Amino acid sequence: MRLLIQHQTEYRYTEPQARVVQLLRMTPSSHIGQNIVDWRIDVDCDARLKHSTDGFGNIVSMLYLAGPVERIGLRVTGEVLTEDRAGAVSGAIDPLPSAVYRRATELTAPCDALLDLLRDHDGANGDALSRIHGLNSAVCRLFPCKEHRSTEVRSVGEVLDVRSGCSMDMAHVLIAAARASGFPARFVTGYIYRDDPDCGHREAPHFWAEIDVPEFGWIGFDPANDMCPNDHYVRIAQGLDFRDAAPISGARVGGGHEVLAIGVDVSLSQEQYQA
């Protein structure tokens, strides 16, 4: 598929800020099944952007703004060619050994409710790939995925206590379950194209997990939709959990409050329609 991405982010501050520094993980890289045709980040104010690669292999952009800063507008636009590879991830920048992704984090630490889920999981006796597919379905059945991401980042224990959450929460639960079962697992940030006119407009990036399956390698699993990512997905960043792969993180010097507005649109390019 040939997908067009438009991701707009606006920050407004109730008081002018003396300085703002943000780390942007909003630039994808090409790999087998994903080819970046065009990609750019625009800032509508006087700012400096410095690009590099982090320890997880993500392309990062440091954004520096000197005050007074009352608002920041970011616009990400891009065009990506995608191919359905049944979730298999090959050729992506991956500087770390898979064993690193066995490590639990504050957000993905196992809890009693998670261990109960693993004990109740019906597919525990199949081969590794079947077990993980079954685990992905089991997490999907826990609670319906909320369309909009909460601004609160919660641990797996907190998510399972309330049985409610967005794709970020469901990805964390699957990652924690996979690690507790002995599989390396990582968090992925990206976008998803939805061709169902009844699904509504999605106003945030999408999140899922990748699990290192013996004899297969890294495979993506999306518990929010009970499937493996296909050509509707654009992969942006990876990490141990959301904090390592968040689209935007940063710091500011100044008082007052921050108000955030996000708009994401993923559509087919005109060339795709003509084809």
Side-chain angles (χ1 to χ4, degrees):
M1 301 187 77
R2 197 177 188 103
L3 301 177
L4 294 177
I5 314 294
Q6 297 185 67
H7 182 171
Q8 299 186 62
T9 305
E10 182 184 64
Y11 287 89
R12 289 187 179 273
Y13 304 100
T14 57
E15 297 180 13
Q17 304 298 295
R19 180 177 173 82
V20 176
V21 178
Q22 292 185 330
L23 188 154
L24 312 179
R25 303 179 189 89
M26 305 179 78
T27 303
S29 58
S30 295
H31 54 81
I32 298 174
Q34 175 173 294
N35 183 44
I36 312 305
V37 179
D38 182 52
W39 200 270
R40 60 180 295 158
I41 299 175
D42 294 306
V43 187
D44 67 357
C45 52
D46 187 15
R48 291 190 296 121
L49 275 174
K50 182 179 180 181
H51 306 287
S52 62
T53 302
D54 68 10
F56 294 101
N58 303 316
I59 300 173
V60 298
S61 303
M62 293 299 300
L63 175 68
Y64 302 92
L65 297 99
V69 181
E70 297 183 354
R71 67 172 296 279
I72 306 170
L74 297 173
R75 181 179 175 87
V76 176
T77 55
E79 187 172 1
V80 185
L81 283 173
T82 60
E83 175 188 345
D84 185 358
R85 305 194 70 250
V89 181
S90 300
I93 300 173
D94 193 9
L96 299 176
S98 63
V100 170
Y101 294 98
R102 295 180 185 270
R103 181 163 61 88
T105 66
E106 180 183 359
L107 298 179
T108 61
C111 58
D112 290 342
L114 180 74
L115 299 179
D116 289 341
L117 171 67
L118 293 176
R119 280 192 290 267
D120 294 340
H121 175 44
D122 293 333
N125 295 323
D127 61 87
L129 184 59
S130 298
R131 288 169 58 195
I132 297 172
H133 274 293
L135 194 58
N136 189 52
S137 296
V139 174
C140 179
R141 292 192 297 267
L142 286 175
F143 49 84
C145 179
K146 289 185 175 180
E147 181 175 332
H148 304 291
R149 181 177 75 82
S150 170
T151 56
E152 181 183 8
V153 181
R154 302 174 297 172
S155 69
V156 165
E158 293 170 321
V159 171
L160 292 178
D161 281 344
V162 297
R163 296 293 178 104
S164 175
C166 62
S167 63
M168 173 182 64
D169 301 308
M170 301 184 83
H172 280 151
V173 173
L174 178 58
I175 289 167
R179 289 175 181 164
S181 300
F183 299 100
R186 61 195 182 195
F187 187 94
V188 179
T189 299
Y191 300 104
I192 183 172
Y193 166 69
R194 301 178 186 274
D195 53 9
D196 180 359
D198 297 324
C199 72
H201 179 66
R202 302 286 171 165
E203 297 182 349
H206 192 66
F207 309 105
W208 61 93
E210 289 175 354
I211 300 172
D212 190 9
V213 184
E215 300 182 12
F216 292 93
W218 287 102
I219 298 179
F221 293 88
D222 180 7
N225 293 295
D226 193 12
M227 63 182 291
C228 290
N230 55 21
D231 55 356
H232 286 52
Y233 289 68
V234 175
R235 186 181 185 276
I236 302 292
Q238 64 188 29
L240 290 171
D241 58 27
F242 172 77
R243 289 172 178 162
D244 295 326
I248 302 177
S249 58
R252 59 189 176 94
V253 178
H257 301 286
E258 177 182 274
V259 180
L260 172 64
I262 300 174
V264 173
D265 182 72
V266 183
S267 61
L268 293 178
S269 74
Q270 189 62 37
E271 292 187 30
Q272 176 79 27
Y273 279 117
Q274 292 172 350

